[in-house]
Protein backbone atom coordinates (compact mmCIF):
# COMPACT_ATOMS: atom_id res chain seq x y z
CA UNK A 1 0.00 0.00 0.00
CA UNK A 2 0.95 3.66 -0.41
CA UNK A 3 0.41 6.81 1.63
CA UNK A 4 0.44 10.07 -0.28
CA UNK A 5 0.59 13.40 1.53
CA UNK A 6 -0.38 16.40 -0.62
CA UNK A 7 -0.07 20.02 0.47
CA UNK A 8 -2.49 22.22 -1.51
CA UNK A 9 -2.68 26.00 -1.47
CA UNK A 10 -5.80 27.55 -2.95
CA UNK A 11 -5.07 30.09 -5.66
CA UNK A 12 -6.29 33.64 -5.29
CA UNK A 13 -9.83 34.15 -6.50
CA UNK A 14 -9.17 37.48 -8.26
CA UNK A 15 -6.31 38.18 -10.66
CA UNK A 16 -5.59 41.44 -12.48
CA UNK A 17 -3.23 41.73 -15.46
CA UNK A 18 -2.00 44.98 -17.03
CA UNK A 19 0.27 45.30 -20.05
CA UNK A 20 0.75 46.87 -23.43
CA UNK A 21 3.02 47.75 -26.30
CA UNK A 22 4.60 51.18 -26.81
CA UNK A 23 6.83 51.96 -29.78
CA UNK A 24 7.95 54.80 -32.04
CA UNK A 25 5.29 53.74 -34.57
CA UNK A 26 1.59 54.48 -34.23
CA UNK A 27 0.49 50.96 -33.24
CA UNK A 28 0.56 51.52 -29.47
CA UNK A 29 -1.71 49.13 -27.61
CA UNK A 30 -2.69 48.74 -23.97
CA UNK A 31 -4.14 45.70 -22.20
CA UNK A 32 -6.06 45.02 -19.02
CA UNK A 33 -7.59 41.76 -17.84
CA UNK A 34 -9.53 40.68 -14.75
CA UNK A 35 -10.45 37.11 -13.79
CA UNK A 36 -12.44 35.66 -10.90
CA UNK A 37 -12.44 31.95 -10.11
CA UNK A 38 -14.17 29.74 -7.56
CA UNK A 39 -13.90 26.07 -6.70
CA UNK A 40 -16.27 23.69 -4.91
CA UNK A 41 -18.16 20.73 -6.29
CA UNK A 42 -17.68 22.52 -9.60
CA UNK A 43 -15.11 25.09 -10.69
CA UNK A 44 -16.06 28.38 -12.34
CA UNK A 45 -14.01 31.14 -13.91
CA UNK A 46 -15.10 34.55 -15.18
CA UNK A 47 -12.72 36.55 -17.37
CA UNK A 48 -12.93 40.11 -18.71
CA UNK A 49 -10.16 41.51 -20.90
CA UNK A 50 -9.60 44.40 -23.28
CA UNK A 51 -6.99 45.65 -25.72
CA UNK A 52 -7.19 49.36 -26.56
CA UNK A 53 -5.32 51.45 -29.10
CA UNK A 54 -5.70 53.26 -32.40
CA UNK A 55 -4.89 50.30 -34.66
CA UNK A 56 -6.43 47.46 -32.62
CA UNK A 57 -9.08 47.37 -29.94
CA UNK A 58 -11.01 44.47 -28.47
CA UNK A 59 -13.14 43.32 -25.59
CA UNK A 60 -13.77 39.77 -24.42
CA UNK A 61 -15.95 38.21 -21.73
CA UNK A 62 -15.81 34.49 -20.91
CA UNK A 63 -17.56 32.34 -18.33
CA UNK A 64 -16.38 28.74 -17.84
CA UNK A 65 -17.75 25.87 -15.76
CA UNK A 66 -15.72 22.72 -15.14
CA UNK A 67 -17.30 19.48 -13.93
CA UNK A 68 -14.74 17.25 -12.13
CA UNK A 69 -15.95 13.79 -13.11
CA UNK A 70 -14.20 10.63 -14.26
CA UNK A 71 -14.34 12.20 -17.71
CA UNK A 72 -14.12 15.90 -16.81
CA UNK A 73 -16.15 18.25 -18.98
CA UNK A 74 -15.99 22.02 -19.32
CA UNK A 75 -18.46 24.44 -20.89
CA UNK A 76 -17.69 28.04 -21.79
CA UNK A 77 -19.79 30.92 -23.03
CA UNK A 78 -18.04 33.88 -24.61
CA UNK A 79 -18.61 37.25 -26.23
CA UNK A 80 -15.91 38.99 -28.31
CA UNK A 81 -15.56 42.38 -30.01
CA UNK A 82 -12.62 43.19 -32.32
CA UNK A 83 -11.75 46.30 -34.31
CA UNK A 84 -8.87 47.05 -36.71
CA UNK A 85 -8.25 50.56 -38.03
CA UNK A 86 -5.89 50.76 -41.02
CA UNK A 87 -5.32 54.51 -40.95
CA UNK A 88 -2.91 56.40 -43.22
CA UNK A 89 -1.60 59.25 -41.07
CA UNK A 90 0.34 59.30 -37.83
CA UNK A 91 -1.79 58.74 -34.75
CA UNK A 92 -1.44 58.38 -31.00
CA UNK A 93 -3.70 56.03 -29.04
CA UNK A 94 -6.96 57.58 -30.20
CA UNK A 95 -6.33 60.46 -32.62
CA UNK A 96 -6.05 60.43 -36.40
CA UNK A 97 -5.90 63.34 -38.82
CA UNK A 98 -7.34 61.77 -42.00
CA UNK A 99 -10.18 59.25 -42.44
CA UNK A 100 -9.12 55.64 -42.13
CA UNK A 101 -8.63 53.74 -45.37
CA UNK A 102 -9.98 50.43 -44.01
CA UNK A 103 -11.86 49.74 -40.76
CA UNK A 104 -12.75 46.16 -39.86
CA UNK A 105 -15.08 45.24 -37.02
CA UNK A 106 -16.29 41.85 -35.87
CA UNK A 107 -18.53 40.60 -33.08
CA UNK A 108 -19.29 37.01 -32.16
CA UNK A 109 -20.74 35.05 -29.27
CA UNK A 110 -20.98 31.34 -28.67
CA UNK A 111 -20.71 28.28 -26.48
CA UNK A 112 -17.80 25.85 -26.38
CA UNK A 113 -17.81 22.35 -24.84
CA UNK A 114 -14.65 20.33 -24.14
CA UNK A 115 -14.50 16.71 -23.04
CA UNK A 116 -11.75 14.06 -23.13
CA UNK A 117 -11.58 11.02 -25.39
CA UNK A 118 -8.47 9.63 -23.65
CA UNK A 119 -5.54 10.64 -21.48
CA UNK A 120 -4.22 13.14 -24.05
CA UNK A 121 -7.09 13.43 -26.54
CA UNK A 122 -9.95 15.91 -26.29
CA UNK A 123 -13.00 16.79 -28.35
CA UNK A 124 -14.21 20.38 -28.72
CA UNK A 125 -17.60 21.51 -30.03
CA UNK A 126 -17.94 25.25 -30.66
CA UNK A 127 -21.06 26.99 -31.94
CA UNK A 128 -21.29 30.73 -32.51
CA UNK A 129 -23.14 33.55 -34.20
CA UNK A 130 -21.17 36.40 -35.71
CA UNK A 131 -21.35 39.80 -37.38
CA UNK A 132 -18.54 41.42 -39.37
CA UNK A 133 -18.45 44.89 -40.91
CA UNK A 134 -15.81 46.33 -43.24
CA UNK A 135 -15.64 50.03 -44.13
CA UNK A 136 -13.29 50.81 -47.03
CA UNK A 137 -12.65 53.10 -50.00
CA UNK A 138 -12.16 52.09 -53.64
CA UNK A 139 -9.36 54.63 -54.17
CA UNK A 140 -6.53 56.15 -52.18
CA UNK A 141 -7.76 59.66 -53.07
CA UNK A 142 -10.60 60.50 -50.66
CA UNK A 143 -11.50 63.12 -48.08
CA UNK A 144 -13.87 63.74 -45.18
CA UNK A 145 -16.81 64.39 -47.51
CA UNK A 146 -16.58 60.94 -49.17
CA UNK A 147 -18.52 57.98 -47.85
CA UNK A 148 -16.94 54.54 -47.68
CA UNK A 149 -18.22 51.22 -48.98
CA UNK A 150 -19.70 49.04 -46.25
CA UNK A 151 -19.78 45.25 -46.37
CA UNK A 152 -21.61 43.36 -43.62
CA UNK A 153 -21.58 39.61 -43.14
CA UNK A 154 -23.97 38.07 -40.61
CA UNK A 155 -24.25 34.37 -39.93
CA UNK A 156 -23.48 31.39 -37.75
CA UNK A 157 -20.75 28.80 -37.53
CA UNK A 158 -20.22 25.44 -35.84
CA UNK A 159 -16.82 23.78 -35.37
CA UNK A 160 -15.93 20.29 -34.17
CA UNK A 161 -12.29 19.40 -33.52
CA UNK A 162 -10.32 16.52 -32.04
CA UNK A 163 -6.89 17.23 -30.57
CA UNK A 164 -4.21 14.78 -29.44
CA UNK A 165 -1.27 16.37 -27.62
CA UNK A 166 1.71 14.74 -25.91
CA UNK A 167 4.25 17.53 -26.52
CA UNK A 168 6.55 18.25 -23.60
CA UNK A 169 6.10 22.04 -23.77
CA UNK A 170 3.46 24.56 -24.82
CA UNK A 171 6.08 26.46 -26.85
CA UNK A 172 9.37 25.33 -28.40
CA UNK A 173 8.72 21.67 -27.65
CA UNK A 174 11.33 19.06 -28.67
CA UNK A 175 9.59 15.73 -27.98
CA UNK A 176 6.15 14.21 -28.25
CA UNK A 177 3.36 14.40 -30.80
CA UNK A 178 0.52 16.76 -31.69
CA UNK A 179 -2.38 16.16 -34.04
CA UNK A 180 -5.55 18.17 -34.63
CA UNK A 181 -8.36 17.69 -37.12
CA UNK A 182 -11.33 20.02 -37.41
CA UNK A 183 -14.39 20.61 -39.54
CA UNK A 184 -16.30 23.89 -39.68
CA UNK A 185 -19.58 24.87 -41.31
CA UNK A 186 -20.34 28.55 -42.00
CA UNK A 187 -23.62 30.04 -43.16
CA UNK A 188 -24.37 33.72 -43.58
CA UNK A 189 -25.59 36.71 -45.58
CA UNK A 190 -23.32 39.32 -47.15
CA UNK A 191 -24.68 42.83 -47.78
CA UNK A 192 -22.60 45.53 -49.49
CA UNK A 193 -23.61 49.19 -49.59
CA UNK A 194 -21.50 51.23 -52.03
CA UNK A 195 -20.17 54.66 -51.12
CA UNK A 196 -19.28 57.77 -53.06
CA UNK A 197 -15.91 56.46 -54.34
CA UNK A 198 -17.52 53.46 -56.07
CA UNK A 199 -18.79 53.80 -59.63
CA UNK A 200 -21.56 51.27 -59.07
CA UNK A 201 -24.89 52.46 -57.68
CA UNK A 202 -26.45 49.03 -57.13
CA UNK A 203 -26.03 47.49 -53.70
CA UNK A 204 -25.17 43.80 -53.41
CA UNK A 205 -26.84 41.04 -51.36
CA UNK A 206 -25.48 37.47 -51.41
CA UNK A 207 -25.90 34.30 -49.35
CA UNK A 208 -22.94 32.04 -48.59
CA UNK A 209 -22.36 28.68 -46.94
CA UNK A 210 -19.29 26.45 -46.99
CA UNK A 211 -17.26 23.81 -45.14
CA UNK A 212 -13.68 24.02 -43.93
CA UNK A 213 -11.65 20.91 -43.11
CA UNK A 214 -8.28 21.28 -41.43
CA UNK A 215 -5.43 19.01 -40.35
CA UNK A 216 -2.40 19.94 -38.30
CA UNK A 217 0.34 17.71 -36.95
CA UNK A 218 3.72 17.96 -35.24
CA UNK A 219 5.83 14.92 -34.43
CA UNK A 220 9.37 14.46 -33.08
CA UNK A 221 10.84 11.19 -34.33
CA UNK A 222 14.37 11.69 -32.94
CA UNK A 223 14.75 12.88 -29.36
CA UNK A 224 18.36 12.85 -28.17
CA UNK A 225 19.94 15.04 -25.46
CA UNK A 226 21.75 17.20 -28.05
CA UNK A 227 19.70 16.59 -31.21
CA UNK A 228 15.99 16.69 -31.97
CA UNK A 229 14.30 16.08 -35.30
CA UNK A 230 10.60 16.37 -36.13
CA UNK A 231 7.97 17.09 -38.74
CA UNK A 232 5.28 19.75 -38.82
CA UNK A 233 2.49 20.20 -41.34
Amino acid sequence: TYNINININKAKEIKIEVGGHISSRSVNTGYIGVSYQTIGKIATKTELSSYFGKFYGSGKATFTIEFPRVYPTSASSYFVLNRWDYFKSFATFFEDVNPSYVVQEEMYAGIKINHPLGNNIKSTLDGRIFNTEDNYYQTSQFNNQDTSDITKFNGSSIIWSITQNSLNRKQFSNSGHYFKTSIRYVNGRENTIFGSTNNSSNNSLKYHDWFNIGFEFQSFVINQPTFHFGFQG
Side-chain angles (χ1 to χ4, degrees), residues 144-156:
N144 290 324
Q145 284 71 40
D146 290 321
T147 58
S148 64
D149 290 9
I150 301 175
T151 296
K152 298 181 180 181
F153 187 41
N154 306 317
S156 59

Side-chain angles (χ1 to χ4, degrees), residues 216-231:
E216 182 182 355
F217 72 91
Q218 185 176 354
S219 179
F220 291 89
V221 295
I222 299 177
N223 181 21
Q224 299 297 326
T226 58
F227 180 75
H228 307 274
F229 182 77
F231 296 94

Side-chain angles (χ1 to χ4, degrees), residues 53-78:
K54 174 59 184 174
F55 170 67
Y56 176 67
S58 74
K60 181 179 181 181
T62 306
F63 178 72
T64 304
I65 301 177
E66 298 182 12
F67 303 94
R69 300 176 178 176
V70 176
Y71 294 97
T73 303
S74 69
S76 302
S77 60
Y78 56 87

Side-chain angles (χ1 to χ4, degrees), residues 3-233:
N3 285 329
I4 300 177
N5 296 321
I6 302 176
N7 295 322
I8 298 177
N9 294 321
K10 186 178 179 181
K12 294 182 179 181
E13 294 182 345
I14 299 177
K15 183 171 69 174
I16 300 175
E17 296 178 321
V18 178
H21 170 79
I22 299 176
S23 72
S24 59
R25 300 181 61 197
S26 53
V27 291
N28 301 310
T29 305
Y31 170 80
I32 184 169
V34 180
S35 63
Y36 174 74
Q37 57 187 1
T38 63
I39 187 169
K41 292 184 178 181
I42 61 173
T44 67
K45 187 174 185 179
T46 304
E47 298 175 278
L48 300 173
S49 60
S50 175
Y51 289 90
F52 51 92
K54 174 59 184 174
F55 170 67
Y56 176 67
S58 74
K60 181 179 181 181
T62 306
F63 178 72
T64 304
I65 301 177
E66 298 182 12
F67 303 94
R69 300 176 178 176
V70 176
Y71 294 97
T73 303
S74 69
S76 302
S77 60
Y78 56 87
F79 177 78
V80 179
L81 291 169
N82 286 318
R83 186 179 191 272
W84 293 269
D85 188 340
Y86 296 88
F87 52 90
K88 296 178 61 179
S89 61
F90 176 80
T92 58
F93 271 96
F94 304 103
E95 296 178 354
D96 187 22
V97 177
N98 295 325
S100 298
Y101 187 61
V102 176
V103 177
Q104 294 180 304
E105 297 178 350
E106 68 177 11
M107 175 185 66
Y108 57 91
I111 298 176
K112 180 187 297 184
I113 299 175
N114 293 297
H115 65 88
L117 300 177
N119 288 334
N120 54 20
I121 304 176
K122 72 172 182 178
S123 171
T124 302
L125 183 65
D126 187 345
R128 66 181 62 173
I129 57 175
F130 63 85
N131 172 268
T132 67
E133 180 176 321
D134 297 339
N135 294 263
Y136 52 94
Y137 292 92
Q138 298 287 343
T139 175
S140 59
Q141 304 298 324
F142 60 93
N143 53 47
N144 290 324
Q145 284 71 40
D146 290 321
T147 58
S148 64
D149 290 9
I150 301 175
T151 296
K152 298 181 180 181
F153 187 41
N154 306 317
S156 59
S157 172
I158 185 168
I159 312 105
W160 181 48
S161 63
I162 296 177
T163 306
Q164 186 270 339
N165 189 357
S166 60
L167 297 176
N168 61 333
R169 298 190 185 98
K170 292 183 177 181
Q171 189 176 20
F172 304 121
S173 54
N174 53 26
S175 68
H177 309 278
Y178 174 88
F179 177 78
K180 181 179 180 180
T181 177
S182 63
I183 182 170
R184 176 198 297 262
Y185 174 70
V186 181
N187 179 278
R189 183 185 70 174
E190 178 189 19
N191 184 22
T192 299
I193 302 173
F194 297 118
S196 59
T197 59
N198 194 311
N199 295 326
S200 176
S201 59
N202 296 323
N203 297 331
S204 173
L205 179 62
K206 298 180 180 180
Y207 292 88
H208 304 280
D209 65 297
W210 69 88
F211 282 95
N212 286 102
I213 298 176
F215 301 94
E216 182 182 355
F217 72 91
Q218 185 176 354
S219 179
F220 291 89
V221 295
I222 299 177
N223 181 21
Q224 299 297 326
T226 58
F227 180 75
H228 307 274
F229 182 77
F231 296 94
Q232 182 175 1

